[in-house]
Amino acid sequence: MWAGLAQVALVLAALAVVYRPFGDYMARVYTRADHSRAESAVYRVTGVDPRSEQNWGTYAFGVLGLSLVGVVALYLLQRLQPLLPLDFGRGAVEPAMAFNTAVSFVTNTNWQSYVPEEVMGHTVQAVGLTVQNFVSAAVGLAVAMALVRGFVRVGTDRLGNFWVDLVRGTIRILLPVAFVFALVLIATGVTMSLRGGVTVDGQTIAQAPTASQEAIKVLGTNGGGVFNANSAHPFENPNAWSNLVQVFLILLIPVCLTRTFGTMVGERRQGHVLLGVMGALWSAMLALIWAAEAAGTRPLEGKELRFGIAGSSLFANTTTGTSTGAVNSTHDSYTGLGGGGALLNMLLGEMTPGGVGTGLYSMLVMAVIAVFLAGLMVGRTPEYLGKKLGRKEVTAAAVSILAVPTVLLVGAGVAAALPGTADALANDGPHGLSEVLYAYASASNNNGSAFAGITATGDWFQASLGVCMAVGRFVPMIAVLALAGSLAAQRGAPVTAGTLPTTGPLFASLLGGVVVLVAALAFVPALALGPIAEAML
Amino acid sequence: MSTVLDPPPTRALAARQVAAGAFHPRQLLARAPDALRKLHPRHQVRNPVMFVVWVGSVLVTAFAVADPSVFTATVALWLWATVLFANLAEAVAEGRGKAQADSLRRTKTGAVARRLRADGAEERVPGADLRVGDRVVVEAGEQVPGDGDVVEGIATVDESAITGESAPVVREAGGDRCAVTGGTTVLSDRIVVEISTKPGESFVDRMIALVEGARRQKSPNEIALTILLSTLTVIFLLAVVALQPFAAFSGGKQSVVVLTALLVCLIPSTIGALLSAIGIAGMDRLVQRNVLATSGKAVEAAGDIDTLLLDKTGTITFGNRRATALHPVDGAALDELAAAARLSSLADGTPEGRSVVALCAADHGLPAEPSAHEKTGGFVPFSAQTRMSGVDLDGRRVRKGAASGFALSGAARAVVDEVSAGGGTPLVVAVDDRVLGVIRMSDVVKPGIAARFAELRSMGIRTVMVTGDNPRTAAAIAAEAGVDDVLAEARPEDKVALIRREQAGGRLVAMTGDGTNDAPALAQADVGVAMNTGTSAAKEAGNMVDLDSDPTKLIEVVGIGKQLLITRGALTTFSLANDLAKYFAILPAMFAAVHPQLGGLDVMGLATPESAILSAVVFNALVIVVLIPLALRGVRYRPTSAGALLRRNLLVYGVGGVVAPFAGIWLIDLLVRLIPGIG
C-alpha cells in the first residue's frame, strides 16, 4: 500500500518538476518563427514552404493525405515482408491482418491482432511501425496545436502549416525525448538487439531492438509492443523502475500540454483547469481500479509479481486513460470492477489525460460543450476564451463527440449479435460481453489495449475494428480542425464580469460533470450488462 | 426583474398585461385542441427530439394493439401524453400572443383613406390600396390609414390601440415627433401624412405576426442548442439500439416497448418539449412590456450586450431641468428671493415652474398652493420676445427669465456665469426691474439610477452616457449617476463612431434613439431600441420598438434577453441531470431476470420491473407539465456576476435535476403499483 503510494507520488513529483519547463518548451516549439537547419533541409527536400499557412480545410487535407499514404505504405511493407532484410522468414502478413495493423498504427491505436515476435521482422517494425509511432503522435500534437491557435488567433482563417507542425513535433519533441529515454530504459535493463532470437536449451527466445521502440511506444501514447506480452514482457519492462519510467513517459506529453495550452492562450489558469479535471478523473479511476484489485479474490492473477497490485493498477489506469494501450498485466483477469474501470477510462473518450495531442483537443471539445451549457445559464451567448460558441462551433463539437459512440456501439452491437462471436471469446456471461465491449472501446477510442480473452483475428473483427479505429481517429480530428477554423475566424470578445469564468473549481467540476455525463452516460446500459453485472455478482 | 426607474403613465396597463400573460392551469385545457392538432408528423418533424418520442409512441401503440397488455397500453398512453404535453407547452405560449393579435387586428378594419391627388384634390380609397409616398389627409375623429410621417400640420393622436396608453400624444410635421402609426385615431386638428410602408407590412401587421409567433424563426442560439440536443438524442438512440444485441448476448432480450420507454426517458425530452415555448415566451415577455422585437435574434443579442449607450436626458436625468438652488444678489435677502421666485412661478404650469415652487416649499417653508389672494394676480406667460414669464400682483411686476432679459449688476453677472459654468441654467428673478437673485436650474439625476448602473457593472455591462452638454457639465452628471464613460457634445456621427469603436473591440452595443439622425446609430448598434414617438426612419433602423417610449427600458430588455438564455440552459441541464435517476429505475428493472444482482441499484425500492419502467415514463411526461409555467415565466433572474449566477443555477437545476427524479419516480411508483397488472 505505502510502497504503491510512493510509486504514484514519485511519478507525480517527476511530472511536477518537468511540467512548467517542458510545457513552455512545447509552446515555443509551436509558436517560434525560425527553423533549424535540419528542418529547413526537410522543407527543401519535400518542397514545403514553411512560411505559408493553411486554412482548416487544407490542414485537414494534409492530415488525411499523410495518414492515407501511411496506411498504404504500412500495408505494402507488411505484405512485402519476405523481400525485406531482417524478416527472419516470418513471411508476408495476411491481408486482413495487414490492413488492421496499418490502420492501427497510423491512427495511434496500436491494436495488435498479431503476435509481434512471430509475425513482424525488424524492418517492418522499425521502418514501418515505429515510424508511424512517431508520425501518428506528431499528427495528434499538430491537430491539438491548430485548435489552440483557433482560440488564440482572431479574424483569420490561417491555422498554421501542418507540415511544419508535423516536422517540429517530430524533430524537436518526440525524437530527442525518445532518444534520451531509450538510453534510460536500457539502463533499467530493457533489451536492445537486432537479432531475431537466441536458442537456449532448444527453446528460442525472441529478441528485438526493444528499447528504441519502447521509448516512443509510451512517449507517443502508442502502446504497440515488440513482444506479444507488451510491457509485461521482461525485455520490455524488466522491473519496477522501468515500469515507473514508462508510466511517466506515457503521462509526460498529455499532462504538460495543458501547460502549453495555458501558455499559448496567455492565461495559465485555463490550462490548470483542464489539468485539474484530467487529474481528478485519473486519480478517481486509479483509486477505483486499485481498490477493486486489492479486494479481489485472486488479486495477483494476470499480474507480474515484479509490479504487484499497485504497479499494475497504476499502469492499467494510465494506459487506458491515455489511449496508449500498452499493458503490463492482463486486464481480462482483473475483477469486474477493476476491468470495468479500465473500460470506463476508454469510454470517457480518452482525455484523462488522453493521448498525445488527442487528450488536449478532446478535453477542449468537452470544454466547448460545458461552456455552451453553462454559458446559457449565465444569460449570454456562450463564450470560451473570448470566442463565441454558436451554431458552427457547436456543430463541430457535436460531430466530434458523436463519432466514437457511433462506431463503438454499432460495432460492438453487431459483434454481439454475430453467431461466431461467442466462439471467439474465452468467457460467456457478463465477462464475455465485457471482452467484446472492451475490444470496440479500445479500437474506437484509439487505445489499442486488449482485454485478452478475445481472438480478434477473424475477418469481421479485423475489418470492423479497423473501421472503428479510422472513424474514431479522423472524424473527431476533422471536426476539431473545423472548430479551430471557425474559432480563428472570429473577432475576440472581451472578458467582462458577465463572462462565464472558465477557471476555478466551479467550472472544473462542471467540466468534469460534462465529461462523465456526455461521454459515459450513453454506455451505462452496456456497462450494466458487462462489468457492473459482473461486479455485483 | 426590477422594473423601470421612472414609472411611465402606462404602468397600470403594463401591469395588467403582464398579469394577463401569467400562467393559469386553465390555459392547458383551453389550448388542448391546438395541442392535438400539433400531433401531425409535419409539425413534429421540426423538433428532432420530440419526433423521436412521437415515433416511439406510434411504435408502442402498434405493439399495444397487436399484443395488448396493461403495461404496454399504459406505456403507450404516457408516451402520447409526453408528446401532447410538449405540444401543449408550445400552444399555451402561442396562445398568449393571440389575444393581443386579435385586438390589434380590429384596428385594421374599415380604414378608408382620403388620398391627395397631384392636383390637390381628395379621393377616397381603401387603406389597403395606399402605396409608399401617397399623401393622405386625416382629420379629427378619423383613423390614420397607414404608417407614415406627418408632412403638414399638427394634431393630437390617440395611440391607445397600439400602446395601450390612453393619454393622447402630439404629432407634428418636421422634427422627431412626426411618425404616425396606421390604426391610431386623430383627436384634433388636421394633418397630412405621407405613407411610408406598403400595405401588409405596416407596423400593426408586423406586430400581429410577431405576437402570434407566426413569423418566428429559430434564433441562432436556439439552433445551436437544437444541434446539441439532437446529437445527444442520436447517441442515446444508438445506445438503446445496441443494447438489444448486448441483452440478447446476455440471455435477456428486451421487448421493443421497454427499449422505447428507456429511449424516451434518456433523450433530453424535457428541454426538447419546452424549447420552442421558451423562445415564444421570451418574445412575449417583451411584448408584455410594450417592446416589439423584430426577431428572436435581437432578443438574444440583448442578453449579450457589453455596452449600453444611454441618452442623458430622460434616461439618466429627468427630462426637464429642475430648480436646485437660490442665489440672492445685490443685497437681497434669501427669503425675499424665495418669495419672489415662488410668486413668479405659481401660475407657471411647466415642469420647470413647478420645480421652483417645490424648491421654495421644501427649503423655505413656503406654501406650495397659491392663496385666494395670490390667484387674483395676472399671469404673464413666457414669450419668445421677452424670454421671461411672471405675475402682476398688487401693482408689482414679479418676473423670472433668461439673464439676457434683465439689466444685471456686475455681482449678478458673476453669479449667472458661475451657474452656467457649473452646468446649470440660470434664471434671473426680479421685482419691478430690481434683480433679487438667480435660480439655479440643473439636471437632476433620477433616484436609484446609480444603484442600477452598479448592478449593470456587476453583470459586466459598461454604461456610456451620451449628451449634447459640454464635457464639464457632462462629467459632473456622469459622476453623480455613476456611469462608466461619457460621450459629451455628441453629434449623431460621434455616436456611430463610438459604436463602431466598441464593436471593433468585440463588444456588443445597445442604444435607444428616436430622431431621424439617430437612425444610423440605431442601425449600427447590435440592439437598437427605437422610441415609438420617434420618426419612421428611427423605427425602421432599430431592431426593437418601445411603445412606451421609455428609454430606461433598455435595461429591462437586457434582462429579458439574459433570462431567455438562462431558462434554456437551466432546463437543458435539468433534463440531462435527470438521466441518472432514470437509469437507477429502469436498468435493474430491465435485467431483473437475467442479472438479479443489479437489483442492488434499485435504490428507490420500486415495486415491480413494470412499475419501475412505467414510473420513469410517467415522471418524464409529468415533469414537462410541471415545468411549463417556468418555461413561460422564465427562470428567476437577478443581475449579478456570471460566477454567482452559474453557482446558483448549477445548484438548483444541476443538483436539483439529479435529486428531483429520485423523489418523483419513487412517489409515482407508490401510485403506479396500485394499477392491476403492474404492481
Side-chain angles (χ1 to χ4, degrees), chain A residues 358-396:
Chain A
T358 60
L360 178 66
Y361 70 65
S362 302
M363 189 55 95
L364 284 173
V365 166
M366 283 298 150
V368 164
I369 305 236
V371 169
F372 183 76
L373 289 178
L376 290 180
M377 278 195 285
V378 304
R380 281 171 71 99
T381 298
E383 285 161 26
Y384 185 41
L385 299 166
K387 298 299 177 70
K388 291 206 187 298
L389 304 178
R391 186 177 56 79
K392 277 191 203 164
E393 292 76 17
V394 169
T395 306

mmCIF file of all heavy atoms in Angstrom, chain A residues 358-396:
data_model
loop_
_atom_site.group_PDB
_atom_site.id
_atom_site.type_symbol
_atom_site.label_atom_id
_atom_site.label_comp_id
_atom_site.label_asym_id
_atom_site.label_seq_id
_atom_site.Cartn_x
_atom_site.Cartn_y
_atom_site.Cartn_z
ATOM 1 N N THR A 358 -4.335 14.343 -28.714
ATOM 2 C CA THR A 358 -5.752 13.986 -28.749
ATOM 3 C C THR A 358 -6.413 14.251 -27.395
ATOM 4 O O THR A 358 -7.562 14.654 -27.330
ATOM 5 C CB THR A 358 -5.947 12.515 -29.118
ATOM 6 O OG1 THR A 358 -5.288 11.706 -28.149
ATOM 7 C CG2 THR A 358 -5.350 12.212 -30.484
ATOM 8 N N GLY A 359 -5.673 14.020 -26.321
ATOM 9 C CA GLY A 359 -6.232 14.254 -24.986
ATOM 10 C C GLY A 359 -6.605 15.705 -24.801
ATOM 11 O O GLY A 359 -7.693 16.039 -24.328
ATOM 12 N N LEU A 360 -5.688 16.596 -25.236
ATOM 13 C CA LEU A 360 -5.950 18.030 -25.079
ATOM 14 C C LEU A 360 -7.144 18.454 -25.924
ATOM 15 O O LEU A 360 -8.063 19.108 -25.434
ATOM 16 C CB LEU A 360 -4.710 18.842 -25.464
ATOM 17 C CG LEU A 360 -4.893 20.353 -25.379
ATOM 18 C CD1 LEU A 360 -5.111 20.792 -23.934
ATOM 19 C CD2 LEU A 360 -3.705 21.098 -25.968
ATOM 20 N N TYR A 361 -7.144 18.030 -27.198
ATOM 21 C CA TYR A 361 -8.261 18.534 -28.006
ATOM 22 C C TYR A 361 -9.588 17.890 -27.627
ATOM 23 O O TYR A 361 -10.624 18.525 -27.724
ATOM 24 C CB TYR A 361 -7.950 18.526 -29.513
ATOM 25 C CG TYR A 361 -7.846 17.219 -30.267
ATOM 26 C CD1 TYR A 361 -8.947 16.376 -30.417
ATOM 27 C CD2 TYR A 361 -6.676 16.868 -30.923
ATOM 28 C CE1 TYR A 361 -8.862 15.206 -31.153
ATOM 29 C CE2 TYR A 361 -6.569 15.698 -31.677
ATOM 30 C CZ TYR A 361 -7.676 14.862 -31.777
ATOM 31 O OH TYR A 361 -7.589 13.714 -32.513
ATOM 32 N N SER A 362 -9.554 16.617 -27.157
ATOM 33 C CA SER A 362 -10.812 16.007 -26.711
ATOM 34 C C SER A 362 -11.361 16.748 -25.498
ATOM 35 O O SER A 362 -12.564 16.999 -25.388
ATOM 36 C CB SER A 362 -10.597 14.539 -26.340
ATOM 37 O OG SER A 362 -10.087 13.825 -27.433
ATOM 38 N N MET A 363 -10.464 17.106 -24.582
ATOM 39 C CA MET A 363 -10.903 17.835 -23.390
ATOM 40 C C MET A 363 -11.405 19.227 -23.769
ATOM 41 O O MET A 363 -12.377 19.724 -23.182
ATOM 42 C CB MET A 363 -9.748 17.920 -22.382
ATOM 43 C CG MET A 363 -10.147 18.462 -21.019
ATOM 44 S SD MET A 363 -11.515 17.559 -20.254
ATOM 45 C CE MET A 363 -10.653 16.388 -19.224
ATOM 46 N N LEU A 364 -10.771 19.845 -24.750
ATOM 47 C CA LEU A 364 -11.219 21.175 -25.178
ATOM 48 C C LEU A 364 -12.601 21.094 -25.832
ATOM 49 O O LEU A 364 -13.423 22.002 -25.671
ATOM 50 C CB LEU A 364 -10.198 21.802 -26.140
ATOM 51 C CG LEU A 364 -8.934 22.341 -25.461
ATOM 52 C CD1 LEU A 364 -7.900 22.778 -26.489
ATOM 53 C CD2 LEU A 364 -9.287 23.520 -24.553
ATOM 54 N N VAL A 365 -12.858 20.022 -26.557
ATOM 55 C CA VAL A 365 -14.194 19.851 -27.134
ATOM 56 C C VAL A 365 -15.226 19.736 -26.008
ATOM 57 O O VAL A 365 -16.304 20.340 -26.059
ATOM 58 C CB VAL A 365 -14.239 18.608 -28.055
ATOM 59 C CG1 VAL A 365 -15.677 18.230 -28.386
ATOM 60 C CG2 VAL A 365 -13.461 18.871 -29.334
ATOM 61 N N MET A 366 -14.869 18.980 -24.962
ATOM 62 C CA MET A 366 -15.766 18.871 -23.805
ATOM 63 C C MET A 366 -15.958 20.235 -23.140
ATOM 64 O O MET A 366 -17.048 20.578 -22.696
ATOM 65 C CB MET A 366 -15.184 17.891 -22.779
ATOM 66 C CG MET A 366 -15.362 16.456 -23.155
ATOM 67 S SD MET A 366 -17.114 16.056 -23.254
ATOM 68 C CE MET A 366 -17.068 14.780 -24.486
ATOM 69 N N ALA A 367 -14.859 20.999 -23.101
ATOM 70 C CA ALA A 367 -14.954 22.333 -22.504
ATOM 71 C C ALA A 367 -15.893 23.208 -23.324
ATOM 72 O O ALA A 367 -16.668 23.995 -22.766
ATOM 73 C CB ALA A 367 -13.572 22.972 -22.411
ATOM 74 N N VAL A 368 -15.849 23.048 -24.642
ATOM 75 C CA VAL A 368 -16.760 23.812 -25.500
ATOM 76 C C VAL A 368 -18.212 23.469 -25.153
ATOM 77 O O VAL A 368 -19.062 24.347 -25.007
ATOM 78 C CB VAL A 368 -16.464 23.532 -26.996
ATOM 79 C CG1 VAL A 368 -17.611 23.981 -27.884
ATOM 80 C CG2 VAL A 368 -15.170 24.228 -27.409
ATOM 81 N N ILE A 369 -18.491 22.186 -24.968
ATOM 82 C CA ILE A 369 -19.860 21.765 -24.620
ATOM 83 C C ILE A 369 -20.230 22.279 -23.233
ATOM 84 O O ILE A 369 -21.331 22.785 -23.014
ATOM 85 C CB ILE A 369 -19.961 20.235 -24.664
ATOM 86 C CG1 ILE A 369 -19.510 19.765 -26.040
ATOM 87 C CG2 ILE A 369 -21.364 19.762 -24.274
ATOM 88 C CD1 ILE A 369 -20.408 18.950 -26.835
ATOM 89 N N ALA A 370 -19.293 22.157 -22.289
ATOM 90 C CA ALA A 370 -19.562 22.623 -20.927
ATOM 91 C C ALA A 370 -19.825 24.122 -20.916
ATOM 92 O O ALA A 370 -20.752 24.603 -20.265
ATOM 93 C CB ALA A 370 -18.387 22.290 -20.007
ATOM 94 N N VAL A 371 -18.999 24.867 -21.663
ATOM 95 C CA VAL A 371 -19.187 26.314 -21.700
ATOM 96 C C VAL A 371 -20.504 26.657 -22.378
ATOM 97 O O VAL A 371 -21.200 27.592 -21.980
ATOM 98 C CB VAL A 371 -18.006 26.994 -22.446
ATOM 99 C CG1 VAL A 371 -18.321 28.441 -22.724
ATOM 100 C CG2 VAL A 371 -16.732 26.873 -21.633
ATOM 101 N N PHE A 372 -20.869 25.879 -23.382
ATOM 102 C CA PHE A 372 -22.138 26.156 -24.066
ATOM 103 C C PHE A 372 -23.304 26.028 -23.087
ATOM 104 O O PHE A 372 -24.166 26.908 -23.011
ATOM 105 C CB PHE A 372 -22.321 25.213 -25.253
ATOM 106 C CG PHE A 372 -23.570 25.494 -26.040
ATOM 107 C CD1 PHE A 372 -23.611 26.579 -26.900
ATOM 108 C CD2 PHE A 372 -24.700 24.711 -25.905
ATOM 109 C CE1 PHE A 372 -24.765 26.865 -27.622
ATOM 110 C CE2 PHE A 372 -25.853 24.989 -26.625
ATOM 111 C CZ PHE A 372 -25.880 26.072 -27.474
ATOM 112 N N LEU A 373 -23.313 24.947 -22.310
ATOM 113 C CA LEU A 373 -24.408 24.751 -21.349
ATOM 114 C C LEU A 373 -24.356 25.789 -20.235
ATOM 115 O O LEU A 373 -25.349 26.423 -19.896
ATOM 116 C CB LEU A 373 -24.321 23.353 -20.733
ATOM 117 C CG LEU A 373 -24.673 22.202 -21.665
ATOM 118 C CD1 LEU A 373 -24.486 20.885 -20.945
ATOM 119 C CD2 LEU A 373 -26.111 22.340 -22.135
ATOM 120 N N ALA A 374 -23.145 25.963 -19.683
ATOM 121 C CA ALA A 374 -23.008 26.868 -18.557
ATOM 122 C C ALA A 374 -23.187 28.313 -19.011
ATOM 123 O O ALA A 374 -23.754 29.135 -18.297
ATOM 124 C CB ALA A 374 -21.641 26.693 -17.907
ATOM 125 N N GLY A 375 -22.699 28.609 -20.212
ATOM 126 C CA GLY A 375 -22.808 29.970 -20.728
ATOM 127 C C GLY A 375 -24.259 30.386 -20.834
ATOM 128 O O GLY A 375 -24.629 31.515 -20.506
ATOM 129 N N LEU A 376 -25.105 29.461 -21.260
ATOM 130 C CA LEU A 376 -26.530 29.778 -21.315
ATOM 131 C C LEU A 376 -27.027 30.115 -19.921
ATOM 132 O O LEU A 376 -27.826 31.033 -19.741
ATOM 133 C CB LEU A 376 -27.310 28.588 -21.864
ATOM 134 C CG LEU A 376 -27.110 28.268 -23.338
ATOM 135 C CD1 LEU A 376 -27.962 27.064 -23.720
ATOM 136 C CD2 LEU A 376 -27.488 29.448 -24.200
ATOM 137 N N MET A 377 -26.522 29.373 -18.940
ATOM 138 C CA MET A 377 -27.037 29.561 -17.573
ATOM 139 C C MET A 377 -26.615 30.884 -16.949
ATOM 140 O O MET A 377 -27.122 31.242 -15.886
ATOM 141 C CB MET A 377 -26.620 28.391 -16.681
ATOM 142 C CG MET A 377 -27.533 27.208 -16.861
ATOM 143 S SD MET A 377 -27.351 26.006 -15.558
ATOM 144 C CE MET A 377 -25.803 25.260 -16.002
ATOM 145 N N VAL A 378 -25.664 31.597 -17.572
ATOM 146 C CA VAL A 378 -25.360 32.932 -17.054
ATOM 147 C C VAL A 378 -25.967 33.998 -17.965
ATOM 148 O O VAL A 378 -25.723 35.182 -17.785
ATOM 149 C CB VAL A 378 -23.849 33.189 -16.862
ATOM 150 C CG1 VAL A 378 -23.254 32.139 -15.959
ATOM 151 C CG2 VAL A 378 -23.115 33.225 -18.186
ATOM 152 N N GLY A 379 -26.759 33.567 -18.945
ATOM 153 C CA GLY A 379 -27.537 34.533 -19.704
ATOM 154 C C GLY A 379 -26.806 35.240 -20.825
ATOM 155 O O GLY A 379 -27.113 36.389 -21.138
ATOM 156 N N ARG A 380 -25.836 34.588 -21.399
ATOM 157 C CA ARG A 380 -25.157 35.188 -22.544
ATOM 158 C C ARG A 380 -24.928 34.121 -23.590
ATOM 159 O O ARG A 380 -24.897 32.945 -23.276
ATOM 160 C CB ARG A 380 -23.793 35.740 -22.126
ATOM 161 C CG ARG A 380 -23.850 37.060 -21.445
ATOM 162 C CD ARG A 380 -22.484 37.374 -20.899
ATOM 163 N NE ARG A 380 -21.543 37.678 -21.964
ATOM 164 C CZ ARG A 380 -21.226 38.924 -22.315
ATOM 165 N NH1 ARG A 380 -21.775 39.931 -21.719
ATOM 166 N NH2 ARG A 380 -20.361 39.139 -23.271
ATOM 167 N N THR A 381 -24.742 34.557 -24.834
ATOM 168 C CA THR A 381 -24.273 33.618 -25.830
ATOM 169 C C THR A 381 -22.939 33.105 -25.326
ATOM 170 O O THR A 381 -22.055 33.890 -25.011
ATOM 171 C CB THR A 381 -24.084 34.306 -27.183
ATOM 172 O OG1 THR A 381 -25.347 34.788 -27.599
ATOM 173 C CG2 THR A 381 -23.563 33.314 -28.208
ATOM 174 N N PRO A 382 -22.807 31.780 -25.176
ATOM 175 C CA PRO A 382 -21.615 31.261 -24.512
ATOM 176 C C PRO A 382 -20.325 31.675 -25.208
ATOM 177 O O PRO A 382 -20.239 31.713 -26.430
ATOM 178 C CB PRO A 382 -21.822 29.749 -24.599
ATOM 179 C CG PRO A 382 -23.282 29.573 -24.759
ATOM 180 C CD PRO A 382 -23.757 30.736 -25.533
ATOM 181 N N GLU A 383 -19.334 31.990 -24.402
ATOM 182 C CA GLU A 383 -18.017 32.371 -24.911
ATOM 183 C C GLU A 383 -16.966 31.546 -24.193
ATOM 184 O O GLU A 383 -17.038 31.363 -22.987
ATOM 185 C CB GLU A 383 -17.702 33.836 -24.575
ATOM 186 C CG GLU A 383 -18.422 34.855 -25.390
ATOM 187 C CD GLU A 383 -18.402 36.198 -24.683
ATOM 188 O OE1 GLU A 383 -17.474 36.449 -23.893
ATOM 189 O OE2 GLU A 383 -19.336 36.978 -24.917
ATOM 190 N N TYR A 384 -15.989 31.049 -24.957
ATOM 191 C CA TYR A 384 -14.874 30.336 -24.339
ATOM 192 C C TYR A 384 -13.603 30.985 -24.845
ATOM 193 O O TYR A 384 -13.375 31.064 -26.045
ATOM 194 C CB TYR A 384 -14.938 28.857 -24.699
ATOM 195 C CG TYR A 384 -13.897 27.994 -24.003
ATOM 196 C CD1 TYR A 384 -13.575 28.194 -22.665
ATOM 197 C CD2 TYR A 384 -13.267 26.975 -24.678
ATOM 198 C CE1 TYR A 384 -12.641 27.408 -22.036
ATOM 199 C CE2 TYR A 384 -12.322 26.162 -24.052
ATOM 200 C CZ TYR A 384 -12.016 26.392 -22.729
ATOM 201 O OH TYR A 384 -11.092 25.598 -22.099
ATOM 202 N N LEU A 385 -12.795 31.468 -23.930
ATOM 203 C CA LEU A 385 -11.539 32.145 -24.261
ATOM 204 C C LEU A 385 -11.774 33.259 -25.266
ATOM 205 O O LEU A 385 -11.003 33.456 -26.204
ATOM 206 C CB LEU A 385 -10.535 31.128 -24.819
ATOM 207 C CG LEU A 385 -10.168 30.008 -23.834
ATOM 208 C CD1 LEU A 385 -9.455 28.880 -24.537
ATOM 209 C CD2 LEU A 385 -9.313 30.560 -22.714
ATOM 210 N N GLY A 386 -12.868 33.988 -25.080
ATOM 211 C CA GLY A 386 -13.132 35.141 -25.929
ATOM 212 C C GLY A 386 -13.770 34.796 -27.256
ATOM 213 O O GLY A 386 -13.993 35.678 -28.079
ATOM 214 N N LYS A 387 -14.084 33.529 -27.488
ATOM 215 C CA LYS A 387 -14.710 33.155 -28.746
ATOM 216 C C LYS A 387 -16.133 32.686 -28.483
ATOM 217 O O LYS A 387 -16.379 31.883 -27.585
ATOM 218 C CB LYS A 387 -13.909 32.037 -29.433
ATOM 219 C CG LYS A 387 -12.485 32.432 -29.800
ATOM 220 C CD LYS A 387 -12.478 33.589 -30.783
ATOM 221 C CE LYS A 387 -11.092 34.089 -31.126
ATOM 222 N NZ LYS A 387 -10.319 33.175 -31.933
ATOM 223 N N LYS A 388 -17.067 33.205 -29.290
ATOM 224 C CA LYS A 388 -18.467 32.836 -29.098
ATOM 225 C C LYS A 388 -18.732 31.440 -29.637
ATOM 226 O O LYS A 388 -18.181 31.043 -30.658
ATOM 227 C CB LYS A 388 -19.364 33.837 -29.828
ATOM 228 C CG LYS A 388 -19.343 35.204 -29.162
ATOM 229 C CD LYS A 388 -20.619 35.955 -29.448
ATOM 230 C CE LYS A 388 -20.573 37.380 -28.939
ATOM 231 N NZ LYS A 388 -20.412 37.470 -27.477
ATOM 232 N N LEU A 389 -19.564 30.699 -28.923
ATOM 233 C CA LEU A 389 -19.890 29.346 -29.343
ATOM 234 C C LEU A 389 -21.288 29.360 -29.938
ATOM 235 O O LEU A 389 -22.283 29.344 -29.221
ATOM 236 C CB LEU A 389 -19.809 28.398 -28.151
ATOM 237 C CG LEU A 389 -18.459 28.419 -27.426
ATOM 238 C CD1 LEU A 389 -18.478 27.483 -26.231
ATOM 239 C CD2 LEU A 389 -17.329 28.047 -28.365
ATOM 240 N N GLY A 390 -21.334 29.426 -31.244
ATOM 241 C CA GLY A 390 -22.615 29.462 -31.940
ATOM 242 C C GLY A 390 -22.867 28.166 -32.680
ATOM 243 O O GLY A 390 -22.338 27.116 -32.313
ATOM 244 N N ARG A 391 -23.664 28.271 -33.730
ATOM 245 C CA ARG A 391 -24.089 27.081 -34.469
ATOM 246 C C ARG A 391 -22.892 26.286 -35.003
ATOM 247 O O ARG A 391 -22.803 25.087 -34.807
ATOM 248 C CB ARG A 391 -24.988 27.512 -35.616
ATOM 249 C CG ARG A 391 -25.616 26.383 -36.377
ATOM 250 C CD ARG A 391 -26.558 26.922 -37.444
ATOM 251 N NE ARG A 391 -25.900 27.850 -38.347
ATOM 252 C CZ ARG A 391 -25.117 27.477 -39.365
ATOM 253 N NH1 ARG A 391 -24.915 26.200 -39.603
ATOM 254 N NH2 ARG A 391 -24.546 28.376 -40.143
ATOM 255 N N LYS A 392 -21.959 26.997 -35.655
ATOM 256 C CA LYS A 392 -20.824 26.292 -36.278
ATOM 257 C C LYS A 392 -19.997 25.551 -35.237
ATOM 258 O O LYS A 392 -19.625 24.400 -35.432
ATOM 259 C CB LYS A 392 -19.911 27.317 -36.973
ATOM 260 C CG LYS A 392 -20.359 27.718 -38.343
ATOM 261 C CD LYS A 392 -19.227 28.507 -38.994
ATOM 262 C CE LYS A 392 -19.728 29.397 -40.092
ATOM 263 N NZ LYS A 392 -18.722 30.413 -40.445
ATOM 264 N N GLU A 393 -19.695 26.245 -34.156
ATOM 265 C CA GLU A 393 -18.820 25.665 -33.150
ATOM 266 C C GLU A 393 -19.485 24.462 -32.485
ATOM 267 O O GLU A 393 -18.842 23.434 -32.259
ATOM 268 C CB GLU A 393 -18.448 26.720 -32.100
ATOM 269 C CG GLU A 393 -17.563 27.849 -32.625
ATOM 270 C CD GLU A 393 -18.313 28.860 -33.470
ATOM 271 O OE1 GLU A 393 -19.555 28.879 -33.399
ATOM 272 O OE2 GLU A 393 -17.677 29.613 -34.225
ATOM 273 N N VAL A 394 -20.779 24.612 -32.164
ATOM 274 C CA VAL A 394 -21.475 23.501 -31.506
ATOM 275 C C VAL A 394 -21.607 22.327 -32.463
ATOM 276 O O VAL A 394 -21.473 21.163 -32.062
ATOM 277 C CB VAL A 394 -22.848 23.974 -30.983
ATOM 278 C CG1 VAL A 394 -23.686 22.792 -30.539
ATOM 279 C CG2 VAL A 394 -22.664 24.941 -29.831
ATOM 280 N N THR A 395 -21.842 22.611 -33.748
ATOM 281 C CA THR A 395 -21.946 21.523 -34.720
ATOM 282 C C THR A 395 -20.633 20.735 -34.771
ATOM 283 O O THR A 395 -20.638 19.502 -34.749
ATOM 284 C CB THR A 395 -22.267 22.082 -36.116
ATOM 285 O OG1 THR A 395 -23.423 22.902 -36.012
ATOM 286 C CG2 THR A 395 -22.533 20.960 -37.100
ATOM 287 N N ALA A 396 -19.525 21.464 -34.839
ATOM 288 C CA ALA A 396 -18.228 20.783 -34.907
ATOM 289 C C ALA A 396 -18.003 19.933 -33.655
ATOM 290 O O ALA A 396 -17.601 18.768 -33.743
ATOM 291 C CB ALA A 396 -17.101 21.809 -35.065
#
